[in-house]
Structure formats: C-alpha cells, structure tokens
Amino acid sequence: MNETIDLLEKEHMRLDLPEINIGDNVKVYTKIFEGDKERVQVFEGIVIRKRGGNTRATFTVRKVSYSVGIEKTFPKHSPLIENIEVMSKSKIRRSKLFYLRNLRGKAAKLKEKRD
Amino acid sequence: MGLGILGKKLGMTQIFHGDGSIVPVTVIQAGPCYVVQKKTAEKEGYNAVQLGFEEIKKVNRVNKPRAGHFKKANTPPTSFLREFRVNAEEVDANEVGSQISVEMFEIGEFVDVTGTSKGKGFAGVMKRHGFAGAPASHGAHEYFRHGGSIGQNMTPGRTMKGKKMPGHMGNSRVTVQSLKVVEVRSDNNILMIEGAIPGPNNGYVIINKAVKKSK
C-alpha cells in the first residue's frame, strides 16, 4: 500500500468509535434518512465477523429476531454510524463465528468473558 | 484541447460521502509539473506547451542533450515529458520554468485520463473481445474458447479486414473520459478521481479537462 494513500485513508477513519471484537454483544446506532427526516436506528447482536483494513473495514452483527436469524454488515468507518456500544464480551475460540448460524436457542449462546 | 497536467497513479481506495455512500477513487500524484518548453506557430509550426513531471533524483543518469534541454528551461530534469496542444494565448500565459499545480482542477469537474493499460500478453478472443466461446457440453470436443467461423466460402475467399482474432492485448494507450474529480489537494499535489483509470500503480498518466462533459 502506498504511504500517501494510507495517510488519506486515515483521515476518513472513525477513530472516535470504541474497539469491537469478535463475540462482543454490541448495540449499533445508525442514522436513517426517511425523506427529509432523520432518526437513529439501533441494531443489537453479536459480532460474528470483521474484515478489511483501513477505510474498507466492515463488521457483521447477528441477532435472532422472532426466531429468524438476521445479519447486518456495517462499514466500520461509515459516517452514518452514530455510536457503537459494547454491552458484553464473550469467550471465543474462532475469528469467525459462522457456526452460530447452525445453532438454535441455548446452544447458540456464547460464554461471557469477565475481566 | 487545453493545458492538462501529468501525474502518477498511486492506487485506488474508497472514501465516504456525508450521506454515507462509498465512492471508489483513484489517487493520482499530479505534480509538481514544470513548463519545460513552449512551442509557437512561428518557430515550430504549432502551439504547444511541454510539461515535465517527476524529478530524476540521479542526475548523472540524464544524457547530455536532455540535460541541456532542462538547463535551458532552468528546471530539474524530469522523467516524464509530454506536450499539450494549446492555443496561442495559452502559450503566452505560461512561463518556461514555472510550475503547474493541481489547482487548475476543481472539485466536481470532469476530466479525461490517458495512460498505458496493463499488458495482458497474447490473449484469446474470449478475453480480448468478449466472445462467448463454445458450449462446454453437448458433444463439444477440444473446442471451448474458440471464436467460431472467421468468414464465408469462395466469395469473398478471404477473411475480412479487421476480423476480431486472438492477439496481443493491453499495453496500449487508453483514455477514460468524463471522470469526476472528488478531491484536490494543492499542498501535496494530490488529485482524487472517481472510478478507475488505465495502467498499473505508479504508471504515468495524462490528465486533461473532459472533452465531452463539463461541470
């Protein structure tokens, strides 16, 4: 990667948001535009994937809503993200938690990590 | 054609707009460019401005005739020299030895970018011309990526000129028109253009104001 591009990308990165890790239970507050109105939507779930570097980084949050699994991928440095709240952390042994998709109910629960 | 600028493709990245949309951009190091020579209708038979880009650090590698050319203009020797055909007024407006900066472009303006495309070597018709190839099954035998027939029978008895066939692909001069300028940084001569431009990273490019589209 070219150094100049690296510097340009750093300017567009959101360094104000908290660090998130795989297995974290997070609340993602995103701005939604409806016509000329603006509101904030909250998406709460477990981070199952992080990928990409610098401005291209994204993370995927999974939740189960009315027994339907929902996954949403957010660009980590998007200006539309208002805030990210880390609710709790989990003990994990993988970097991608795709196996949660095949599990239901209690089996899909992660052990909480306490410091 | 007016005066453009010379540059070097640094690579691609993406940036965010305020509304959250992601824009793919190419970052170009455009300048510092020096005016090395002015050509006029009286002397050379046509009006043009010659620009030089990217200083040669190892000055002893520049041969004597070329070194003299730069000495005459009182500019450092540069590795990329190109001419821009301009009208007589524009020739007068530029001083030999002066610098051209990226400030000539504004955000939102459209530009044409010319570069040398990446060489692909000897390529077949599917890659080179986008032919569909042949069926993979239904009895096809050793005939998958061919171009099919290349002509008729006794009349005309030859293959038509310009028939698309396999051959060398890439490493040719390519211009991409009407690309939007996303960002201009005059302090370090950085130009950010929406979309892709021809050539590899660190390849030289020529940036002109768009012929077909203005702001």
Side-chain angles (χ1 to χ4, degrees):
Chain A
M1 173 76 67
N2 188 287
E3 284 167 32
T4 320
I5 294 181
D6 215 39
L7 288 173
L8 287 170
E9 285 185 343
K10 290 254 151 49
E11 290 172 25
H12 283 271
M13 281 161 72
R14 295 281 303 273
L15 303 171
D16 52 319
L17 297 172
E19 186 69 21
I20 51 165
N21 291 306
I22 303 291
D24 288 2
N25 204 355
V26 293
K27 269 186 182 176
V28 185
Y29 296 80
T30 47
K31 281 182 225 163
I32 304 265
F33 296 98
E34 285 165 340
D36 51 353
K37 266 189 271 177
E38 185 194 322
R39 65 183 181 88
V40 174
Q41 195 179 60
V42 189
F43 193 90
E44 186 182 351
I46 295 167
V47 179
I48 62 163
R49 159 165 69 182
K50 287 202 298 183
R51 63 177 300 277
N54 281 4
T55 48
R56 294 171 299 280
T58 61
F59 62 95
T60 302
V61 180
R62 178 183 168 85
K63 74 169 176 186
V64 177
S65 169
Y66 297 104
S67 72
V68 178
I70 295 171
E71 286 175 16
K72 205 166 176 181
T73 301
F74 299 93
K76 195 177 166 191
H77 301 286
S78 168
L80 293 187
I81 293 180
E82 192 126 300
N83 189 20
I84 298 174
E85 219 179 294
V86 180
M87 314 290 289
S88 64
K89 293 184 174 294
S90 308
K91 276 186 195 168
I92 48 152
R93 308 185 73 156
R94 320 229 168 310
S95 64
K96 306 274 188 287
L97 304 182
F98 298 150
Y99 70 91
L100 291 179
R101 290 168 180 168
N102 300 326
L103 302 177
R104 292 280 174 274
K106 208 171 173 186
K109 248 197 178 122
L110 296 170
K111 265 191 191 153
E112 202 175 323
K113 190 161 95 182
R114 282 169 227 251
D115 302 312
Chain B
M1 295 267 278
L3 188 62
I5 203 166
L6 306 175
K8 189 161 103 172
K9 172 174 167 180
L10 294 182
M12 288 191 74
T13 180
Q14 61 184 31
I15 59 168
F16 292 97
H17 273 338
D19 62 349
S21 56
I22 295 167
V23 187
V25 292
T26 307
V27 183
I28 300 173
Q29 176 76 50
C33 281
Y34 301 97
V35 178
V36 181
Q37 194 185 3
K38 294 202 289 188
K39 297 194 173 179
T40 54
E42 296 87 64
K43 199 162 174 237
E44 282 90 4
Y46 62 96
N47 293 313
V49 173
Q50 189 185 59
L51 296 186
F53 169 67
E54 198 163 62
E55 229 170 282
I56 300 172
K57 299 237 164 62
K58 291 177 176 161
V59 184
N60 58 342
R61 303 259 172 98
V62 185
N63 65 20
K64 274 192 174 172
R66 192 148 267 215
H69 182 60
F70 290 111
K71 206 177 170 193
K72 210 166 146 191
N74 203 12
T75 62
T78 55
S79 49
F80 189 46
L81 269 180
R82 284 293 179 278
E83 255 179 42
F84 289 88
R85 293 289 283 262
V86 293
N87 54 25
E89 294 94 69
E90 224 170 325
V91 173
D92 292 335
N94 292 288
E95 209 59 53
V96 171
S98 64
Q99 280 194 26
I100 305 282
S101 97
V102 286
E103 276 166 51
M104 63 190 294
F105 298 111
E106 295 169 33
I107 292 169
E109 201 177 5
F110 290 92
V111 291
D112 296 342
V113 181
T114 306
T116 306
S117 60
K118 280 185 189 173
K120 311 281 184 209
F122 191 96
V125 286
M126 286 180 71
K127 186 185 176 101
R128 194 174 183 220
H129 300 296
F131 282 16
S137 65
H138 295 299
H141 180 64
E142 293 184 353
Y143 196 87
F144 298 108
R145 297 181 64 90
H146 291 229
S149 165
I150 56 165
Q152 300 79 6
N153 204 332
M154 272 280 280
T155 333
R158 62 190 170 87
T159 300
M160 291 297 171
K161 261 189 180 175
K163 175 74 202 133
K164 287 174 182 169
M165 285 203 200
H168 192 270
M169 184 182 173
N171 194 20
S172 58
R173 184 187 166 99
V174 175
T175 302
V176 179
Q177 292 186 317
S178 305
L179 297 169
K180 200 176 188 180
V181 176
V182 179
E183 216 166 304
V184 178
R185 305 249 169 132
S186 47
D187 53 329
N188 49 3
N189 286 303
I190 294 286
L191 206 59
M192 282 159 98
I193 287 172
E194 187 171 346
I197 64 170
N201 290 350
N202 296 323
Y204 290 130
V205 291
I206 305 165
I207 306 146
N208 273 307
K209 302 224 167 177
V211 177
K212 289 185 181 166
K213 206 169 175 182
S214 58
K215 203 174 180 181

